[in-house]
Amino acid sequence: MRIATWNLNSVKARLPRLLTWLELRQPDVLLAQETKATEQSWPAGELRNLGYESAHLGTGRWNGVAILSRVGLDEVTRGLTGQPEFDGAVEDRAIGASCAGLRLWSLYVPNGRQVGHQHFDYKLRFLDAVRAQAVAERAVRGPAAPYGLLGDFNVAPFDSDVWDIAAFDGATHVSTPERAAVTAIQQASPDSPLHDLMPRASIDAVDARPPYTFWEMRMLGFQKGRGMRIDLALVNDALAQRVESAWVDRDARRGEGPSDHAPLVLDLTD
DNA sequence: ATGTCGTGCAAAGCACGA
């Protein structure tokens, strides 16, 4: 079984590449972010033609999250319990579902813009709502149920997760409170920690490069190797023990018209 | 700090977000 998470940066702009990628890599579940789609514009028909059911949460120009599955799509949850608002609205940043016995979330954590910006505070509150969601579901489902929080966290957990930590002095994505908020999610249920699965940098069996998942469109970030590992898979023991391989599909970042993110792929035992 | 994208509005140029 194969599951993946991918920030598409517009499903409309990415649809040809998305469909090609689904046929090439054959994921059983895809957790998608930044669809920038409405329920009307979500391409459910094209996805169904490839064998995927899908559940989408999106209202327009920004954000938007979805789960695609060809192994069942049940218990769909749109939004987090207690999800904070920004500018008076709950944004389309979280959708959960159960797929073939796995409880999975597709998350698009707010960017934060600048440390100290109100959007940064919103980011921290959102991450705390993710933590609370994990605690609540852990209480209901128990530690034996495979559980994963996947998506664009907009946080690089370690200094080595960015191309040059000196270039990020004072920046978001690497600050202490953001990293502490991610750690708090992982440790929310101390008897059932969530592991930050470290992927390989590519599908190759051995790849010594850093496993970045995002490269800026500006300044030729990909071409210059200026990347960040900000798309994460936080999974409990029950799911982690089924992971045979985790890797970044950096080939999806190449060529004409890519997203600025590459998919993070998990290959599981059946 | 931004040299690139993507979106939507109102209209082929901008504002906004990342």
Side-chain angles (χ1 to χ4, degrees):
Chain A
M1 185 169 171
R2 170 171 283 174
I3 68 177
T5 178
W6 192 8
N7 179 320
L8 296 172
N9 188 19
S10 169
V11 73
K12 180 183 172 190
R14 219 63 58 209
L15 189 59
R17 286 190 70 127
L18 171 62
L19 298 177
T20 300
W21 185 82
L22 291 171
E23 293 202 285
L24 173 67
R25 298 304 193 196
Q26 296 287 317
D28 296 294
V29 178
L30 175 64
L31 308 166
Q33 301 89 35
E34 266 203 284
T35 66
K36 297 184 176 179
T38 63
E39 300 319 308
Q40 287 71 32
S41 65
W42 175 248
E46 286 93 333
L47 298 171
R48 196 175 302 113
N49 289 341
L50 292 184
Y52 292 92
E53 295 176 83
S54 60
H56 176 249
L57 175 66
T59 50
R61 185 175 188 184
W62 310 117
N63 313 309
V65 285
I67 302 183
L68 288 57
S69 176
R70 61 180 192 187
V71 291
L73 187 59
D74 305 305
E75 298 182 286
V76 174
T77 306
R78 288 176 164 82
L80 303 167
T81 302
Q83 184 174 322
E85 297 181 350
F86 187 72
D87 271 354
V90 175
E91 298 183 311
D92 308 312
R93 295 182 176 274
I95 189 169
S98 299
C99 305
L102 313 178
R103 181 64 180 172
L104 301 170
W105 281 87
S106 175
L107 302 173
Y108 177 44
V109 175
N111 171 285
R113 300 185 189 168
Q114 284 104 38
V115 175
H117 193 282
Q118 63 172 357
H119 205 263
F120 184 81
D121 185 56
Y122 170 51
K123 181 179 194 173
L124 297 180
R125 293 200 314 272
F126 185 93
L127 286 166
D128 192 59
V130 173
R131 181 199 57 74
Q133 186 78 41
V135 169
E137 292 190 298
R138 160 68 182 77
V140 171
R141 295 165 187 275
Y147 189 79
L149 304 171
L150 289 82
D152 178 0
F153 279 73
N154 271 316
V155 178
F158 304 108
D159 288 358
S160 54
D161 291 326
V162 298
W163 59 277
D164 177 8
I165 191 61
F168 287 80
D169 187 36
T172 59
H173 296 63
V174 298
S175 76
T176 299
E178 291 165 82
R179 287 174 170 174
V182 171
T183 302
I185 292 169
Q186 295 179 248
Q187 301 301 327
S189 301
D191 62 331
S192 182
L194 301 178
H195 307 279
D196 171 17
L197 295 179
M198 189 65 68
R200 296 193 313 277
S202 74
I203 195 172
D204 298 337
V206 178
D207 193 322
R209 290 174 293 195
Y212 300 143
T213 63
F214 165 86
W215 297 260
E216 284 266 4
M217 281 293 179
R218 287 173 288 192
M219 303 290 287
L220 298 173
F222 184 69
Q223 290 79 356
K224 294 181 179 177
R226 296 178 174 181
M228 307 169 71
R229 186 178 74 92
I230 56 176
D231 298 87
L232 307 179
L234 306 183
V235 307
N236 71 353
D237 284 327
L239 182 48
Q241 66 190 13
R242 286 183 53 185
V243 177
E244 293 182 325
S245 177
W247 50 282
V248 178
D249 193 356
R250 61 181 287 132
D251 290 341
R253 186 62 177 76
R254 299 182 198 282
E256 288 296 310
S259 169
D260 43 8
H261 294 252
L264 168 60
V265 184
L266 307 182
D267 288 323
L268 312 179
T269 57
D270 290 324

